[in-house]
Amino acid sequence: MRTKRPKGGYKRRPGPSQDRPPAVERTPFNPRINKQLRPILREIGTPDKTPFKPDPFQLEALERLAEADVIVSAPTGSGKTYIAVEAMAQVLAKGGRAWYASPLKALSNSKFHEFGERFGTDKVGLLTGDHKVNQDAALIVGTTEILRNQLYDAMSRGENLASDLVVMDEAHYLGDPDRGVVWEEVIIYLPPRVRLLLLSATVANARDLAKWLEFVRGNRCEAVISTERPVPLHPLFLFPDGELVSLSKGRELSPQVRNFVREKRERAPRGGRIQAPYGRILKTLNEADLLPAIFFLKSRADCDLALSRAFGQTDYLDANRRERLEKRLDELLDKYPFLKDHGHIKYIRGAGVAAHHAGHMPHWKLVVEALMQEGLLAAIFSTSTVAAGVNFPARTVVISQSDKFNGHDFVDLTTTDLLQMTGRAGRRGMDRIGFALVVPGPFQNAELIHDLFGAEPEPVISQIKIDFSMALNLLHSQRPGDIKRLLSMSLASYQQEHSRRASEAGRILARLEEVLAERACESPEGALMLYHRRRKLLDELVRIEKARPEAARERMLKLGLIPGRLFEVGEGRFFCFLAYKNRRGHPGVLAARLREDIGLKKGQPRAKWIPLEAVTGLLETVLDFRDDTPAEEGLQLIRSAAGQQHTLLDPADLVPGLKTDPLADLEGRKAATEKELESLPCERCSVFRNCLGRPDGEAYRLLNRLHRLQINSDSSSFLLWSSFLKHLEFLKAEGFVDENDELTADGEWAAQLRLDHPLLIAAGIRAGVWPEHNPALLAALVAPFVVDKDRDLDEEGLKKLLPRHLVNAWRQLEATVAPLIATLQDWGFPTPQLKMRPALAIFAWASWGDWDTAVRLYGLDQGDMAMLVFRTADNLRQIANLSETHPGLAPAARAAVDLILKEPVMVPL
């Protein structure tokens, strides 16, 4: 029996609403379509079938490619792959060879199959690290990193790349902070005789990139630009009461939406969190014929939680699609039988919805991708990974927030982010119009989204940086003078020294010299550095203020969630709190559902794990739970509470008493930031009011313009060369390079280690501490070197789980690399935070083959464990390349790869 809810919601304590905001916002929901939107929705439908006819930009690109390199900038889904296929067909027809490079292994696998069907499987090969198929084929499909490594090898042997055409897909990755350097290296190293075709999403500086390509390659390069979407896009907004309206009116934000946003800003609850009603949204989309849809959510947990909220509401598929879905799902599960017990299958069969994110296993993502690509799902809930690289067609994309996590912090979406998301809206050949639905929420700024729809895309900015792998490989084939020339050809150097920005920056710096004649800082560049620092601190203060609502909610939960406390999840689901419990790195609680028929499990009331973020409100009732409460007595308390009515708890009633108060922590951060801000010399400078103190002053405007030009970035030619020289000196100090700037014997084989931390791996090889006779142990010891630096891994209680020989081997390796890590840190080079949990997880997987045990030992999601396996295998392959110089270690590394790349990790082709 469900707990009865009184009419009008919960009983609330009296008091001024502004002093006591509700813990959960209640809004009656009545799905309806604004009459002004109806003409737009009438355009929904499938376009008439017509013979395929290439778009003008596709024909233009192919025509220009016959005489020059080409960069194509066009919206996502506009048909850029057609250009690549036709260009490769022309090369193959003449007996030539081609290389197709993509950023993702999954995308490379997909293109391998697609091109195999087009050209014949004997003509197409695949190189991704995980797979090597038909390596001598006329057309090679692979990742950009593999192509870069082949260019390294070709340069070291004085050979040319065996290709007549290179296609680089997703070329806007040039601006990716983590991987853009690989794209840039390929372009710089690629022989001019090889024709180059770059396929990019819409970017602002495609013509500038074409000029850089001409500068670096010496060939003419043409920019082919298309800004037209193949399917028109219409932005929508869904009010909390269920009304669906247009987001914009002309070029302005819709007055109805603007008024709502302003009212919400003025009376937004300071605590609590409005949970997105996914079932209601899906119902509205279904009634308006706006499915299938992609929901872009902020986290993996949100994606998985959304499934349960959409489940059981409605079947969003018609009878025909339901039949096809069931048949196709059965086929896929027969192909991957170990997925038949997957916990999300019920959501696919029940409501036709699925989640897709990096926390899922590769095989499961393949199932979801296949169903969505074949038009058999009503909706998927995904993080931004779907926007970047996976071809998911949908009629509508749902944008639930206006910011995203960039790996370090939450930042506002950019125009490029929005273009990639909305590029999935509107299926070419299936839709006459696509839609982007903006839904309100605690992290949504509808005004920002509206502005981004009308804004120009951001330019691609070079992300090139020097690392030891690059330095070793360049020294393997080039003299330092040649390397300096190569670095001067980087996109970073070009953007500074050959663009309008450089001359403009020079004029600004000269003017600043005049305006700030009596400054305290040494130079205009010094003033700019202080401007950057001050801006960063002020931004931190803004972030602190934005974090207050979530901190208030966290404080409320920490104070109020005590054993016996009743709380609500979603709307109308009540639980009794038993204990805090983290699961795979996610904070959560163990709680018993308030039901009159609840039973025992293992001698205790049956409990369920619930993510902490799913808790939407606390109730006043606290059952009399103590550590010594008998299980049967606790059971009766829960059963009795299930038949009663309860009142929502007002957060103001909680008495402060936390050991760690989130709000107090924020206040501490604020005080420290303000203190640092006051310590800047600007506060004591005689010209401060003319510099940073007056946003309307000339100096402030000049500094702001310099900041926007990014003239102080670390990517200039001079700083790149300085960074290389610093790496060179370190390599000399460690014996990898001699005094003549040539690689030593150790440097020669270390150059083959094309991975994140080649010197640390090389230190272990030099000392002979890698276990050559135990491949499972070797794989385990490599694993800590591949984990992201900021990965949060709990090491508590780990020692008792570690096998003795793993501990001994690790201590020996750690003693070897620790001095080198300390020296790298002294020089200012980045170093990894080595932890043992990845080693234990990989050792368990390699030794015992129990996947569930390995995932549990790692403490993160299955997808994270799979990524750990793939990255460990990539590093082991690099060690396996040393067969000539280390004949004992190389075969052990190859055997280790085979031990960890197996089902359910390895995805068959």
Side-chain angles (χ1 to χ4, degrees), residues 306-326:
L307 290 178
S308 61
R309 295 189 174 171
F311 179 65
Q313 301 280 339
T314 309
D315 186 349
Y316 305 105
L317 305 177
D318 58 36
N320 178 264
R321 285 175 67 202
R322 167 63 58 190
E323 182 180 355
R324 290 163 52 210
L325 170 63
E326 295 288 348

Side-chain angles (χ1 to χ4, degrees), residues 131-152:
H131 296 289
K132 292 183 179 180
V133 180
N134 201 10
Q135 300 179 59
D136 296 324
L139 169 58
I140 295 296
V141 180
T143 58
T144 315
E145 282 82 0
I146 296 292
L147 175 56
R148 189 270 312 272
N149 291 344
Q150 285 196 350
L151 287 168
Y152 276 153

